[in-house]
Amino acid sequence: MLKFKNGASGLAVAVSLLAVGVTLPAVSQAQEATSADTTKVGEVVVVTGTRTRGRTVADSAVPVDVLTSEAITAVAFTDTQDVLKTLVPSFNTFRQPISDGATFIRPATLRGLTSDKTLVLVNSKRRHRAALVTIGGSGTQGPDVATIPASALKTVEVLRDGAAAQYGSDAIAGVLNFILKDNDSGGELSASMGQYTEGDGDDITVSGNLGLPIGESGFVSISVEANSAKGTNRGDQWSRAQSPQFDTATGVGSGFDVALYRATYPQFAGLFGPGTRNNTSNVQIWGQPENVAFRSFVNAGYKVSDKIDLYAFANYSNSEGSGDFNYRFPDPEFGQTPNPNGSQGTLGPAIRLQNGTTWTGTSKFPAGYTPRFSGNVIDYSLTTGVRGDLSARWSYDATIRYGYNKISYGLSETQNPSYGPASPTSFSPGDLVADETAFNLDFSYELPVAMFASPLTISYGAEYRSEGYELVEGDRASWAAGPYAKPDPWGFCNLAQPIATRTPTAAGLAVIAAGSTLNCASASDPVYRLLGVGSDGFPGNNPDYSGAIDRASYAVYVDLEADVTDKLFVGVAGRFEDYEDFGSTTDGKIAARYELTDDINLRASIGTGFRAPTPGQLSTANVSTRFPASEPVASGLFPATNPVSLFLGAKPLEPERSKNYSAGVTAAMGDFNFTLDFYQIDIEGQFYATRSITVTPTIQAALIAANVPGANTIGAVQFFQNAFDSVTKGVDFVGTYRADFGDYGKTNFTLSANYNTFKLGDILIGSPSALLFLEEDVYDFENGVPEFKSNFTINHSIGKFSGMLRANYWGEYTASNCLTSQPISIFKCPTSTVYPEGLIKQKLGSEVLIDMEVSYDFPKDVVVTAGVRNITNEYPDEGASRLGETGNGRVYRSDSLVDWQGSYYYLKIKKTF
């Protein structure tokens, strides 16, 4: 388990490290100048989206953004995902305070499509996936970009175009290529610390990079980063005033209210805090989770000869975070008196113990409890290979790589209710593990063609990939049924029917004789009460639904590129892949660029793509068990191949298939450059989880009649499916202008913007009698995120001073919810007296967040930076209580793309040597 000292101690470590760095002799005073100072944006050479050497951003037939190391480190975030969100308008991510594993491995989108539709490369080699499969929704399982420290990055290339024909599965929305530093000397050491204006969220980061030579023709670049981030709280105390049906005039509403409970039962009032906005004593914390992390990358290369280069890179990352689950409120006076809130509480009704007395959860948790969920993510990888030239025109690259990701869950301050008073309060619910091994062999040949303006680059190769996924069972107490999962666990009553005719057994008579109030003839007697099974908040992985799965695939490809004329470049690619679990797919792409003038290029591409279902999506399960009639009944997410899922209409998962279209223009006119690209992505069979299907007695009878395994043991089923077709359309714009004001310094202006729309086509799941995708689902997909996002950045330098001002804009969007009872046979949300409009909607307004920082370059290459994110302390609109998706202390929507933590002030110190 990772542990970092916080507060002043952490800062002291950072300053001490910097002090050591200041006294180090300069290994190399010659530093590579930033591209912003010496190179126009369009002249930066790219390696993503092309296999032709020396092609630049302006020459590319597809849109590629290049983020330099300077641009990356200038962003006041430690998480690489947040850096990308800041610099790339079409990339989005958000922090979910309560979302199981997605709290620690955050979901992201590129062009509005989930992260598993974006291929992630490191040094142009495929990155392995994280172990997390998001439960419900799109079931995303993509790489964890946060495991790549910003200190290790030389550049990041963002290909905003489909590229499955070139790179294989997942490259539907685009490609992120993280290019690692390759310095053989010098380095840097930096430390930063910051805090939100609310006085919380203390964040300390120490990072460094060191380049060393290997002989006379090799290098090793070592990058490390350590981070400690405290949690934040942007919530209220639990109050019924936040409930959808609350009447402000009468004060009548539903839901647990801490203030009302304290007033009614003053003997318990001292167990609760004052209940003010953002107070950490509130029964539940809504904010970013606590997190500590260590991340590292090593990149190495050695030139054996003019024709042979050896290379290797590896990473190790270990992070741990924790946050609150939903509060479980108490029964008053241990369940013996009515609750002023009109409900019994969430700690369970009274049960009858083995000695005949009664007991409720409030005797252990008199103020209720808030389960604390934690996740430890370990990630490591190794890639090694050899590349070189077989001749002057023929090159090769052979690679072997392995990647591993594991998330281990923990749960504390909770209970397994079915264990009663014997329940532990801490659990290990289990692990998720993903690993991947791959072998690649790539060749490239430059064939002279007399009629072409350049040689024809013929690239071809093959890949073999083995992927694994495992659900590791949790500790027994996290999933097992205790005695109170069944009625009358101690055999106090006979089994006569009806219950009114039952009499005590010898065991029952014995406890009655000892003073027990046991009444076997009363169905309301605690002896018949059932309690939930598994660690409350996150039941552990049951061994019946745990296990491992592996699958293999292979691929071959060919890629042709050439300047057909002095003005026309054309690229054609094709790729064949075969997967042992679902078959094969063939995809192609053609891209072209035409030089309209010396300054203006036109470009366009069209291609097909796919995304194979991952082993995790094929096999993951998230199941809880109950014993309603003394028999185990499991409910939750099951694989689509589960027999009950198949009986209820599930079909084996197939690849998502896509068609990508793009057209754009690039211009390089002196100090002004811009790119404008239009795109459309059509996806067939997009993944999504069905709504939960309750196994009614009628369905169960049909299952039994059909001899379906598990017919008696599954109560509700949800599964992933190729749920719908979709169309994504949008526009990307990137413009830069460089101004030289002489003695007044130099200024770079950058405007980036993205407009993106998402529409559903055919819905492929459900039938008229059992619709599994309803009006609310469709509306939220098409309207639930801002369509427009942009940022405008000004960087100015004069002498030893430099400054940055950035405005980040998010457009408006609309959220919806259906709070009326909706049969699964009706698509539209029904109207009611309380909700005459049926589907309830809330329009959330646009927001502008402004960042600013100032830097000064001190002697001995020490740079000090002070800055603030969100300088005007903006927050997104508060969630409307009537929508029913906030409340219980939550003020802001958890899925808001706009940060809801407020202003953040920071100080950074960097020493270059």
Side-chain angles (χ1 to χ4, degrees):
M1 179 180 294
L2 292 174
K3 293 186 180 297
F4 292 93
K5 293 183 178 180
N6 53 40
S9 299
L11 180 61
V13 172
V15 173
S16 299
L17 287 171
L18 280 170
V20 173
V22 170
T23 62
L24 289 173
V27 179
S28 173
Q29 291 296 330
Q31 294 297 317
E32 189 174 80
T34 68
S35 60
D37 292 333
T38 64
T39 307
K40 294 180 181 179
V41 174
E43 296 173 355
V44 177
V45 174
V46 296
V47 296
T48 310
T50 180
R51 290 187 168 91
T52 301
R53 298 177 183 177
R55 190 156 299 281
T56 66
V57 171
D59 291 337
S60 177
V62 291
V64 181
D65 296 324
V66 179
L67 312 179
T68 65
S69 175
E70 293 77 17
I72 293 167
T73 56
V75 177
F77 281 105
T78 55
D79 190 315
T80 301
Q81 287 202 115
D82 289 316
V83 174
L84 293 174
K85 180 184 72 173
T86 302
L87 298 177
V88 182
S90 57
F91 184 92
N92 281 298
T93 187
F94 55 93
R95 175 72 69 185
Q96 296 181 320
I98 299 179
S99 188
D100 298 342
T103 301
F104 315 115
I105 299 178
R106 295 190 294 159
T109 63
L110 182 67
R111 287 182 163 178
L113 299 175
T114 53
S115 58
D116 57 358
K117 295 174 183 59
T118 297
L119 178 64
V120 175
L121 308 175
V122 174
N123 281 354
S124 301
K125 307 300 180 184
R126 179 185 286 265
R127 180 79 172 158
H128 61 279
R129 295 186 180 90
L132 176 69
V133 179
T134 56
I135 302 303
S138 59
T140 301
Q141 186 188 9
D144 184 6
V145 172
T147 60
I148 305 173
S151 60
L153 298 176
K154 180 179 180 181
T155 61
V156 179
E157 297 183 5
V158 183
L159 170 62
R160 294 177 279 109
D161 194 49
Q166 296 165 287
Y167 298 107
S169 176
D170 306 347
I172 290 177
V175 178
L176 299 176
N177 191 2
F178 296 87
I179 309 299
L180 301 175
K181 290 179 179 176
D182 55 4
N183 50 312
D184 62 0
S185 63
E188 64 181 33
L189 189 63
S190 67
S192 66
M193 67 174 300
Q195 186 182 75
Y196 290 97
T197 52
E198 290 292 337
D200 57 9
D202 296 20
D203 192 303
I204 297 175
T205 301
V206 178
S207 64
N209 169 263
L210 177 65
L212 298 171
I214 301 179
E216 295 183 355
S217 57
F219 73 91
V220 58
S221 182
I222 305 167
S223 303
V224 296
E225 177 183 282
N227 170 254
S228 173
K230 293 299 182 182
T232 63
N233 182 25
R234 299 295 179 269
D236 280 327
Q237 185 64 285
W238 270 44
S239 168
R240 62 172 48 181
Q242 300 169 327
S243 68
Q245 295 84 23
F246 181 73
D247 188 324
T248 55
T250 63
V252 175
S254 61
F256 186 80
D257 191 301
V258 171
L260 178 59
Y261 187 84
R262 294 178 68 200
T264 307
Y265 299 101
Q267 66 270 37
F268 299 132
L271 299 176
F272 301 89
T276 56
R277 172 71 63 91
N278 302 344
N279 193 297
T280 55
S281 68
N282 290 346
V283 295
Q284 181 177 345
I285 302 300
W286 291 96
Q288 72 177 23
E290 294 184 357
N291 193 73
V292 293
F294 173 81
R295 304 180 180 101
S296 61
F297 243 108
V298 177
N299 186 30
Y302 186 80
K303 180 177 284 295
V304 178
S305 68
D306 290 340
K307 294 186 176 181
I308 301 177
D309 290 329
L310 303 178
Y311 62 89
F313 52 92
N315 87 288
Y316 175 80
S317 173
N318 190 335
S319 63
E320 184 168 349
S322 62
D324 283 358
F325 271 168
N326 282 311
Y327 172 59
R328 274 61 172 166
F329 55 84
D331 294 322
E333 296 190 57
F334 309 146
Q336 303 305 306
T337 60
N339 192 315
N341 292 277
S343 57
Q344 190 171 17
T346 54
L347 300 191
I351 56 174
R352 196 166 289 284
L353 302 180
Q354 191 172 10
N355 63 5
T357 62
T358 60
W359 179 90
T360 68
T362 40
S363 57
K364 179 183 286 189
F365 302 99
Y369 61 92
T370 306
R372 188 76 177 172
F373 187 58
S374 63
N376 177 221
V377 181
I378 296 176
D379 183 281
Y380 55 82
S381 66
L382 172 64
T383 300
T384 185
V386 56
R387 60 187 167 217
D389 296 322
L390 297 171
S391 68
R393 298 183 180 277
W394 196 11
S395 62
Y396 68 93
D397 187 350
T399 308
I400 301 174
R401 64 178 179 84
Y402 176 76
Y404 175 94
N405 185 274
K406 174 183 177 181
I407 179 167
S408 301
Y409 292 131
L411 196 63
S412 61
E413 301 175 36
T414 186
Q415 62 174 336
N416 180 335
S418 68
Y419 275 43
S423 173
T425 56
S426 296
F427 304 85
S428 297
D431 307 334
L432 305 177
V433 180
D435 68 346
E436 185 174 317
T437 304
F439 304 88
N440 292 76
L441 185 59
D442 304 291
F443 296 93
S444 186
Y445 184 77
E446 294 183 351
L447 176 68
V449 179
M451 66 181 68
F452 287 175
S454 74
L456 173 65
T457 301
I458 305 172
S459 302
Y460 57 97
E463 177 185 58
Y464 172 82
R465 191 161 80 245
S466 175
E467 303 169 89
Y469 187 78
E470 183 180 7
L471 273 79
V472 180
E473 70 178 83
D475 63 50
R476 182 174 180 80
S478 71
W479 56 265
Y484 302 102
K486 299 180 180 181
D488 193 12
W490 310 116
F492 289 154
C493 306
N494 62 38
L495 301 180
Q497 292 293 342
I499 291 179
T501 63
R502 290 184 181 178
T503 57
T505 61
L509 291 172
V511 296
I512 292 173
S516 173
T517 59
L518 172 69
N519 183 358
C520 291
S522 172
S524 63
D525 191 276
V527 75
Y528 299 120
R529 303 237 172 100
L530 311 181
L531 299 183
V533 175
S535 45
D536 187 18
F538 192 87
N541 295 335
N542 189 308
D544 291 341
Y545 301 100
S546 301
I549 182 175
D550 295 283
R551 71 117 177 263
S553 65
Y554 70 87
V556 293
Y557 74 89
V558 63
D559 193 342
L560 310 176
E561 296 181 344
D563 289 307
V564 179
T565 70
D566 290 337
K567 293 182 176 293
L568 178 64
F569 166 84
V570 177
V572 179
R575 188 179 182 98
F576 172 84
E577 297 208 21
D578 184 83
Y579 290 77
E580 65 178 355
D581 50 3
F582 69 80
S584 61
T585 180
T586 303
D587 293 281
K589 179 179 180 179
I590 182 170
R593 175 194 52 80
Y594 182 76
E595 186 178 311
L596 191 63
T597 70
D598 290 342
D599 300 324
I600 300 175
N601 294 325
L602 303 179
R603 61 189 181 191
S605 70
I606 181 172
T608 61
F610 77 103
R611 192 189 69 79
T614 69
Q617 290 169 329
L618 292 169
S619 63
T620 195
N622 186 260
V623 179
S624 60
T625 306
R626 299 292 181 265
F627 286 73
S630 299
E631 297 296 333
V633 174
S635 300
L637 179 73
F638 291 84
T641 52
N642 179 278
V644 176
S645 300
L646 293 171
F647 185 87
L648 294 175
K651 297 178 181 179
L653 294 176
E654 296 288 338
E656 298 174 319
R657 302 186 185 276
S658 68
K659 295 179 181 178
N660 294 65
Y661 312 88
S662 70
V665 58
T666 70
M669 297 174 286
D671 290 323
F672 176 63
N673 299 270
F674 78 85
T675 64
L676 179 67
D677 293 279
F678 299 84
Y679 59 87
Q680 178 173 322
I681 306 170
D682 300 341
I683 300 179
E684 296 179 0
Q686 192 163 331
F687 283 10
Y688 209 73
T690 68
R691 285 178 172 262
S692 182
I693 306 168
T694 300
V695 178
T696 64
T698 301
I699 294 176
Q700 188 178 69
L703 290 169
I704 294 172
N707 295 317
V708 175
N712 289 312
T713 61
I714 297 180
V717 179
Q718 186 182 27
F719 43 84
F720 293 121
Q721 286 288 271
N722 297 96
F724 52 81
D725 299 338
S726 68
V727 177
T728 301
K729 295 181 180 180
V731 183
D732 285 323
F733 175 84
V734 179
T736 63
Y737 179 72
R738 304 193 314 164
D740 189 339
F741 297 104
D743 293 340
Y744 297 98
K746 298 178 180 179
T747 305
N748 290 346
F749 301 88
T750 303
L751 174 63
S752 302
N754 171 254
Y755 176 77
N756 191 86
T757 64
F758 183 91
K759 298 293 181 184
L760 264 63
D762 292 338
I763 297 175
L764 309 176
I765 55 176
S767 63
S769 61
L771 298 172
L772 304 180
F773 211 71
L774 305 178
E775 181 188 17
E776 177 191 346
D777 305 306
V778 174
Y779 189 90
D780 286 345
F781 253 106
E782 297 183 344
N783 303 277
V785 295
E787 293 183 344
F788 186 75
K789 179 190 172 188
S790 66
N791 63 61
F792 179 60
T793 304
I794 302 173
N795 288 288
H796 183 76
S797 61
I798 178 170
K800 294 185 177 294
F801 283 96
S802 62
M804 183 276 296
L805 183 68
R806 178 186 295 114
N808 305 281
Y809 174 84
W810 283 266
E812 61 186 26
Y813 68 101
T814 305
S816 75
N817 197 11
C818 181
L819 292 176
T820 50
S821 178
Q822 184 174 14
I824 60 174
S825 60
I826 299 176
F827 174 77
K828 289 188 68 65
C829 180
T831 61
S832 68
T833 303
V834 179
Y835 304 108
E837 70 272 52
L839 191 66
I840 310 165
K841 301 170 186 176
Q842 181 190 4
K843 186 175 183 179
L844 295 107
S846 59
E847 298 289 343
V848 178
L849 274 59
I850 299 175
D851 307 333
M852 182 179 71
E853 69 174 31
V854 177
S855 300
Y856 185 80
D857 192 349
F858 287 90
K860 296 187 178 182
D861 297 314
V862 175
V863 177
V864 177
T865 301
V868 57
R869 289 197 318 253
N870 188 8
I871 192 169
T872 56
N873 200 32
E874 300 294 328
Y875 283 82
D877 291 347
E878 296 185 5
S881 59
R882 194 167 187 274
L883 198 67
E885 293 188 332
T886 49
N888 290 344
R890 178 167 49 171
V891 177
Y892 307 101
R893 293 182 59 85
S894 299
D895 59 2
S896 172
L897 296 180
V898 181
D899 186 73
W900 42 279
Q901 306 301 319
S903 297
Y904 177 83
Y905 293 83
Y906 59 91
L907 177 69
K908 296 192 294 185
I909 309 172
K910 182 172 74 172
K911 161 67 178 177
T912 303
F913 52 90

